[in-house]
């Protein structure tokens, strides 16, 4: 089991909060929203969870590779415990994943997802500390996995998002004029993604987001869910921007500490800085929803880097790019640099069938890991999807999608063999939540 210390702290916290809540009784239950227990002193605790069995098949249009590549797996299997004590002005969340896959389907995930405690400073300002999703990612990452409009998140998310970070988070909700709201967010984190118990490389990451809701708040947390299940009676819109600066990053996009390390002549750590910025929006009205996102990134490479640490721990002075020693562009070539945008929309009919479409574009810098032939090097993604919500809300649904992918010259298949054509991906997933 990973991160035993953090798990222990989490269980101690939950035990202490639960112990202070006497005579807990079932208050309400809505499929997909969880079991909510309450006590006479206004304490509330909600237990929810969901599972998502998943099937995927991939095909390359290259006539030299006529095979299909199928894949079955448990996409997500999660349990979440949340609670709040209004009199003490404390909230918390504890969430684990048992599926063994990452949020964006790349490699293995950590067992522990969320573990944070929040304090309501005023009615409008809240500060939280711990591990949680960061508002400095694109808007799609503020939305729960069980409430996605399509089977998978967009390729913009997998290319640029750090997903979860450990640190200090502040957020506010302020009513302005004529029923509109602004929501500012500030973050100060370790910049390494999930909490690192081993050596923490690099410096801190500072960032923020500012959202504006001109037509008021969404119904039932609809700002943080994609499809318009609630069928908003009046137009709802949120748009905003985010920016973050990671001082000394030791990974491709700030998701895993210590995976890419560099040294100077004195064998001291010397790491590049990483700037990320973006703008996005979400619109909902009477079953129609639209999501748009733009993300960009830049790297700043220190000029004293002279060595790199290989995966096996050995040190190399070689930074060859096209046969020449080029430290700056070698470093950039291992990072997620460039821009990308995602635009998707859909309509949920009253019979609970949703039809959705998405277009995603990635524009890699000349020196960027986005040019990697096996995992990226694919500028365009065209997706059509259909979902059937078995019950009202997010408690149970079946989703299918078909994605056509433009593969640029130099792309490879999943076995790192060169391909000449494009590829398509078919996905099918069921989602069941309590």
């Amino acid at each position: 089991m990973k991160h035993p210390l953090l798990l222990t702290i989490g269980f101690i916290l939950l035990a202490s909060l639960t112990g202070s809540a006497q005579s807990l009784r079932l208050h309400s239950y809505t499929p997909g929203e969880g079991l909510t227990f309450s006590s006479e002193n206004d304490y509330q605790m909600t237990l929810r969870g969901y599972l998502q069995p998943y099937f995927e098949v991939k095909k390359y249009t290259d006539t030299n590779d006529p095979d299909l590549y199928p894949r079955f797996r448990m996409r997500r299997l999660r349990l979440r415990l949340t609670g709040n004590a209004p009199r003490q002005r404390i909230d918390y969340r504890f969430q684990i994943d048992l599926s063994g896959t990452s949020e964006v389907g790349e490699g293995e995930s950590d067992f522990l997802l969320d573990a944070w405690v929040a304090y309501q400073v005023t009615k409008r300002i809240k500060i939280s500390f711990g591990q949680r999703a960061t508002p400095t990612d694109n808007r799609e990452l503020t939305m729960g996995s069980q409430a996605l409009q399509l089977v998978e998140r967009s390729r913009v998310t997998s290319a640029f998002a750090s997903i979860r970070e450990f640190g200090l988070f502040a957020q506010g909700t302020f009513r302005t004029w004529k029923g509109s709201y602004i929501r500012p967010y500030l973050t100060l984190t370790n910049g390494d993604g999930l909490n690192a118990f081993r050596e923490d490389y690099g410096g801190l990451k500072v960032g923020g987001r500012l959202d504006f809701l001109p037509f008021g708040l969404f119904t039932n947390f609809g700002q943080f869910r994609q499809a318009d299940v609630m069928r908003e009676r009046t137009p709802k819109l949120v748009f905003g921007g985010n920016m973050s600066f990671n001082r000394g990053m030791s990974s491709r996009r700030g998701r895993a500490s210590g995976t890419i390390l560099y040294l100077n002549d004195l064998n001291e750590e010397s790491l590049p800085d990483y700037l990320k910025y973006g703008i996005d929006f979400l619109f909902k009205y009477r079953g129609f929803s639209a999501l748009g996102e733009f993300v960009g990134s830049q790297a700043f490479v220190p000029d004293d880097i002279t060595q790199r640490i290989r995966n096996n721990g050995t040190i190399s002075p070689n930074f060859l790019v096209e046969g020449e020693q080029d430290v700056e562009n070698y470093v950039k070539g291992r990072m997620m640099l460039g821009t990308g945008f995602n635009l998707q929309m859909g309509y949920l009919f009253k019979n609970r069938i949703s039809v959705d479409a998405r277009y995603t574009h990635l524009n890699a810098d000349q020196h960027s890991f986005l040019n990697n032939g096996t995992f990226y090097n694919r500028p365009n993604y065209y997706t059509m999807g259909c979902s059937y919500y078995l019950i009202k809300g997010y408690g149970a649904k079946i989703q299918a999608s078909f994605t056509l992918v433009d593969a640029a010259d130099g792309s490879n298949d999943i076995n790192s063999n060169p391909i000449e054509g494009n590829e398509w991906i078919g996905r099918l997933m069921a989602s069941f939540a309590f």
Side-chain angles (χ1 to χ4, degrees):
M1 183 178 293
K2 300 180 181 181
H3 302 339
L5 178 58
L6 196 53
L7 284 174
T8 302
I9 294 173
F11 281 123
I12 292 174
L13 172 65
L14 296 182
S16 63
L17 288 173
T18 304
S20 65
Q22 300 176 357
S23 303
L24 279 176
R25 296 182 179 180
L26 181 62
H27 175 74
S28 64
Y29 170 63
T30 303
E33 302 294 338
L35 295 156
T36 298
F37 301 87
S38 63
S39 68
E40 295 179 355
N41 59 4
D42 296 329
Y43 177 84
Q44 285 195 341
M45 181 175 67
T46 301
L47 177 65
R48 68 179 64 177
Y50 62 94
L51 60 90
Q52 294 178 327
Y54 172 95
F55 170 71
E56 171 187 297
V57 60
K58 182 177 293 187
K59 175 72 172 65
Y60 299 98
T61 60
D62 187 345
T63 56
N64 295 325
D65 187 2
D67 294 334
L68 294 174
Y69 295 89
R71 184 184 188 188
F72 290 90
R73 60 174 170 158
M74 182 59 69
R75 183 64 185 88
R76 299 176 183 92
L77 179 58
R78 297 185 178 177
L79 289 174
R80 177 194 296 179
L81 186 64
T82 60
N84 67 84
R87 296 182 182 181
Q88 291 77 29
R89 296 190 287 182
I90 294 176
D91 300 330
Y92 68 87
R93 176 182 293 180
F94 181 76
Q95 182 175 202
I96 58 175
D97 182 85
L98 304 172
S99 68
T101 60
S102 74
E103 176 62 32
V104 292
E106 297 178 354
E108 294 185 354
S109 72
D110 279 61
F111 176 81
L112 181 65
L113 297 180
D114 296 315
W116 53 262
V117 180
Y119 180 69
Q120 194 79 38
V121 181
T122 70
K123 291 183 178 180
R124 299 178 179 86
I125 300 174
K126 179 187 291 186
I127 296 178
S128 57
F129 178 69
Q131 180 172 292
R132 64 177 302 168
T134 173
T136 58
D137 278 336
N138 52 302
R139 185 168 300 280
E140 190 178 43
L141 262 297
T142 68
M143 301 172 179
S145 302
Q146 79 279 12
L148 296 180
Q149 193 171 22
L150 290 154
V151 177
E152 283 290 6
R153 297 185 187 274
S154 77
R155 203 58 170 156
V156 166
T157 292
S158 64
F160 296 103
S162 54
I163 305 179
R164 284 178 172 83
E165 298 179 0
F166 192 96
L168 190 65
F169 304 82
Q171 64 187 76
T173 300
F174 302 95
R175 185 167 181 168
T176 52
W177 62 93
K178 295 183 179 180
S180 62
Y181 287 80
I182 59 171
R183 281 182 161 166
Y185 303 81
L186 294 174
T187 67
L188 180 63
T189 69
N190 60 358
D192 297 317
L194 297 178
N195 183 52
F197 280 101
R198 296 173 182 162
E199 185 174 353
D200 189 1
Y201 297 93
L204 297 177
K205 176 180 177 180
V206 61
R209 166 180 282 276
L210 181 62
D211 283 345
F212 178 55
L213 296 88
F215 310 131
L217 302 179
F218 289 69
T219 303
N220 193 27
F221 304 103
Q223 179 183 339
F224 308 102
R225 297 167 173 179
Q226 287 190 0
D228 186 16
V229 169
M230 302 307 298
R231 303 189 66 84
E232 297 284 358
R233 295 184 179 182
T234 60
K236 298 296 182 182
L237 172 67
V238 56
F239 62 88
N242 62 86
M243 181 175 290
S244 62
F245 186 77
N246 196 332
R247 181 70 174 176
M249 192 172 72
S250 59
S251 60
R252 301 196 193 283
R253 59 175 88 67
R255 196 182 288 177
S257 178
T259 55
I260 301 177
L261 297 173
Y262 304 99
L263 306 173
N264 58 25
D265 283 334
L266 301 177
N267 291 327
E268 298 171 335
E269 176 186 296
S270 183
L271 301 173
D273 299 331
Y274 189 71
L275 173 68
K276 187 170 69 176
Y277 51 90
I279 55 174
D280 43 49
F281 76 89
L282 174 68
F283 175 81
K284 290 184 176 183
Y285 182 53
R286 294 188 180 274
F288 173 79
S289 59
L291 171 69
E293 306 168 295
F294 170 83
V295 179
S297 64
Q298 298 179 27
F300 304 91
V301 181
D303 55 13
D304 64 340
I305 293 178
T306 57
Q307 306 171 82
R308 59 184 176 88
I309 300 179
R310 298 189 180 99
N311 292 336
N312 61 8
T314 60
I315 296 177
S316 173
N318 294 325
F319 293 84
L320 297 179
V321 177
E322 298 179 354
E324 298 183 1
Q325 187 81 349
D326 189 339
V327 173
E328 179 175 354
N329 288 328
Y330 182 93
V331 172
K332 289 183 175 181
R334 303 176 76 186
M335 303 173 70
M336 309 300 275
L337 301 177
T339 60
F341 70 83
N342 175 57
L343 180 63
Q344 64 186 63
M345 59 185 65
Y347 183 76
L348 178 60
F349 293 89
K350 292 183 179 179
N351 61 5
R352 300 194 300 272
I353 293 177
S354 175
V355 178
D356 309 287
R358 167 195 287 159
Y359 171 61
T360 303
H361 176 73
L362 298 178
N363 182 28
D365 286 355
Q366 180 180 358
H367 300 283
S368 169
F369 192 77
L370 287 173
N371 296 311
N372 181 276
T374 300
F375 301 104
Y376 291 95
N377 200 38
R378 290 152 171 82
N380 298 303
Y381 300 78
Y382 309 89
T383 301
M384 293 294 298
C386 182
S387 302
Y388 177 52
Y389 293 76
L390 301 174
I391 59 177
K392 184 178 180 179
Y394 300 96
K397 60 181 176 177
I398 298 175
Q399 296 179 283
S401 68
F402 177 86
T403 301
L404 177 64
V405 184
D406 285 344
D409 293 340
S411 295
N412 304 322
D413 62 19
I414 59 176
N415 298 315
S416 298
N417 299 314
I419 60 173
E420 296 180 0
N422 297 316
E423 64 184 71
W424 60 259
I425 306 171
R427 296 183 173 101
L428 177 67
M429 185 174 72
S431 181
F432 302 94
F434 69 83

